[in-house]
Amino acid sequence: MLSARFGHFLDAPLGFIAARIPFSPNVLSVIGFIITVTAAFVIPHSLLLGGVCIMIGGIFDMLDGMVARTTGRASKFGAFLDSVLDRYSDAFLFLSIAWYLAAHGDHAGSFLSIGTLVGAFLISYARARAEGLGETCHTGIMERPERIILLIISTLTGWLVPVLWIMLILTHVTVAQRVYYVWKRMHRQ
């Protein structure tokens, strides 16, 4: 939803900064991934510090695409690598939150986190499968930027369970939106 509305609105105002970054987009993707994995290992010990790490990792996740687009170094492999690392990042973060909640005796919250992870994976799978059928599929209310923002908010505030309820519902609504969108497109053909 945010990607569709705002797209690459920071490319123009921050393009001059992106052009000066000496690292390739793929290196930035890997750095962001390492920071996010670090966040996953920090979360069970400190939600607040874990949230800060997620925020820093998110900045690198935004920068890699910006550098690729503004410097003309975008590549199919870079997009593929970024997507794979994003899926691993999602897994580490949601499993870490599940671990944190289970360790604090909130097993229902732990299942919410795992259910949200399943929804996040299905969102990505639905898009990839649609693209395999020749359809673009960027529809839905809860894409990765929204999930990352909500994860940052939940870890910084400690409101994990209420935010996980929202994410659980909206990730699976997004999957349904994508299925319906592809069905509608295929039905017209």
Side-chain angles (χ1 to χ4, degrees):
M1 187 168 88
L2 289 175
S3 298
R5 283 232 165 112
F6 299 108
H8 311 300
F9 78 99
L10 292 176
D11 287 3
L14 298 179
F16 71 96
I17 294 172
R20 295 175 193 255
I21 293 175
F23 301 109
S24 75
N26 292 347
V27 169
L28 294 172
S29 293
V30 171
I31 291 170
F33 171 71
I34 290 168
I35 294 168
T36 303
V37 170
T38 301
F41 283 101
V42 169
I43 284 170
H45 309 288
S46 172
L47 274 180
L48 184 62
L49 185 55
V52 171
C53 289
I54 295 171
M55 200 173 353
I56 295 167
I59 291 168
F60 276 90
D61 196 33
M62 184 179 66
L63 276 178
D64 63 0
M66 187 185 307
V67 168
R69 288 185 301 275
T70 59
T71 63
R73 292 189 280 177
S75 69
K76 288 183 181 180
F77 176 74
F80 171 78
L81 176 66
D82 185 50
S83 184
V84 169
L85 294 178
D86 284 350
R87 300 302 73 78
Y88 270 116
S89 295
D90 287 347
F92 275 107
L93 290 173
F94 284 111
L95 290 173
S96 175
I97 290 170
W99 179 5
Y100 172 86
L101 290 168
H104 287 83
D106 191 345
H107 299 290
S110 184
F111 281 108
L112 287 172
S113 187
I114 292 168
T116 303
L117 173 60
V118 169
F121 279 177
L122 285 172
I123 289 170
S124 177
Y125 178 76
R127 177 180 169 188
R129 190 67 185 109
E131 288 174 352
L133 296 171
E135 295 291 336
T136 59
C137 188
H138 296 279
T139 61
I141 195 166
M142 182 63 63
E143 292 186 293
R144 190 156 195 275
E146 291 84 3
R147 289 193 306 270
I148 294 300
I149 289 167
L150 288 175
L151 281 175
I152 291 167
I153 291 168
S154 69
T155 52
L156 294 180
T157 63
W159 300 339
L160 289 175
V161 173
V163 172
L164 284 171
W165 270 111
I166 294 166
M167 292 175 73
L168 175 75
I169 293 165
L170 294 182
T171 55
H172 291 282
V173 165
T174 301
V175 174
Q177 287 175 310
R178 289 186 174 193
V179 169
Y180 176 71
Y181 174 81
V182 172
W183 173 80
K184 198 164 74 172
R185 298 278 299 182
M186 297 285 180
H187 188 67
R188 285 185 191 156
Q189 297 172 2

